[in-house]
């Protein structure tokens, strides 16, 4: 299956544009209920692995990883060189802090790896945007202050 999709990146206008203009082309690992293309981080890596472009990247997402991955830390360690951004969403698809993902352990592990990439908070709105964002950011600030 992956070799079929790999051809879309090899020599494609997207891949060429990404390389010529130094714009990342990112493949997000998305759970099996939403797509059959790349459900795990490993499958996303397989789509771009071996292609000669530093601008082809993968995007782990904690919501999707919670469904598809056995162990966050093991997956992120194994594919650390393939991502520089991470989506943060809780197991119930609300913003971080409204579910049961252990974000403290995740941030502690990423700190041990000396992760220098970015994070994006995403998810469904539980109450309203401002209060949900405040809950999420307060939780993240609390975690960061304890690292």
């Amino acid at each position: 299956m992956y070799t079929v999709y790999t051809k879309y990146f090899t020599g494609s206008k997207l891949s060429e544009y990404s390389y010529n203009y130094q714009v990342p082309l990112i493949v997000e690992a998305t759970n099996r209920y939403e797509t059959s293309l790349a459900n795990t981080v490993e499958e996303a890596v397989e789509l771009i692995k071996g292609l000669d472009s530093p601008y082809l990247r993968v995007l782990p997402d904690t919501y999707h990883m919670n469904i598809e991955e056995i162990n966050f830390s093991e997956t992120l360690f194994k594919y650390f060189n393939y991502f520089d951004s991470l989506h943060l969403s809780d197991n119930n698809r609300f913003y971080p802090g409204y579910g049961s993902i252990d974000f403290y352990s995740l941030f502690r592990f990423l700190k041990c790896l000396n992760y220098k990439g970015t994070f994006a908070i995403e998810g469904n709105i539980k109450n309203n945007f401002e209060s949900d964002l405040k809950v999420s950011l307060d939780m993240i600030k609390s975690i960061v202050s304890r690292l």
Side-chain angles (χ1 to χ4, degrees):
M1 173 167 104
Y2 305 113
T3 41
V4 172
Y5 293 111
T6 302
K7 73 177 183 176
Y8 295 112
F9 295 110
T10 310
S12 73
K13 289 188 185 257
L14 282 176
S15 184
E16 184 180 329
Y17 183 89
S18 175
Y19 186 82
N20 289 340
Y21 292 97
Q22 300 176 355
V23 175
L25 182 60
I26 302 170
V27 178
E28 182 174 4
T30 307
N31 75 74
R32 68 192 119 172
Y33 304 113
E34 296 183 27
T35 187
S36 61
L37 178 58
N39 302 135
T40 64
V41 174
E42 178 179 22
E43 292 171 351
V45 168
E46 287 299 316
L47 287 173
I48 65 168
K49 195 174 186 177
L51 301 176
D52 193 25
S53 176
Y55 300 104
L56 294 174
R57 309 295 289 154
V58 299
L59 178 61
D61 181 307
T62 56
Y63 170 74
H64 300 296
M65 289 179 74
N66 184 67
I67 296 169
E68 299 294 342
E69 305 293 345
I70 294 169
N71 183 303
F72 281 25
S73 298
E74 184 179 298
T75 298
L76 294 174
F77 179 76
K78 186 173 182 180
Y79 300 108
F80 188 70
N81 292 325
Y82 289 93
F83 70 93
D84 45 28
S85 185
L86 185 69
H87 277 179
L88 302 175
S89 186
D90 228 315
N91 67 301
N92 53 11
R93 199 48 161 160
F94 290 120
Y95 283 19
Y98 282 104
S100 62
I101 290 178
D102 182 359
F103 286 100
Y104 178 79
S105 292
L106 174 67
F107 277 86
R108 187 179 68 215
F109 180 74
L110 291 170
K111 182 179 180 182
C112 289
L113 292 178
N114 201 27
Y115 178 70
K116 300 290 185 195
T118 61
F119 298 99
I121 295 171
E122 70 167 355
N124 296 326
I125 302 298
K126 185 172 179 76
N127 299 306
N128 64 64
F129 175 74
E130 288 181 11
S131 66
D132 287 3
L133 185 59
K134 181 175 181 351
V135 166
S136 192
L137 290 176
D138 286 348
M139 181 206 62
I140 291 169
K141 285 180 195 175
S142 173
I143 289 171
V144 170
S145 72
R146 293 181 285 146
L147 293 177

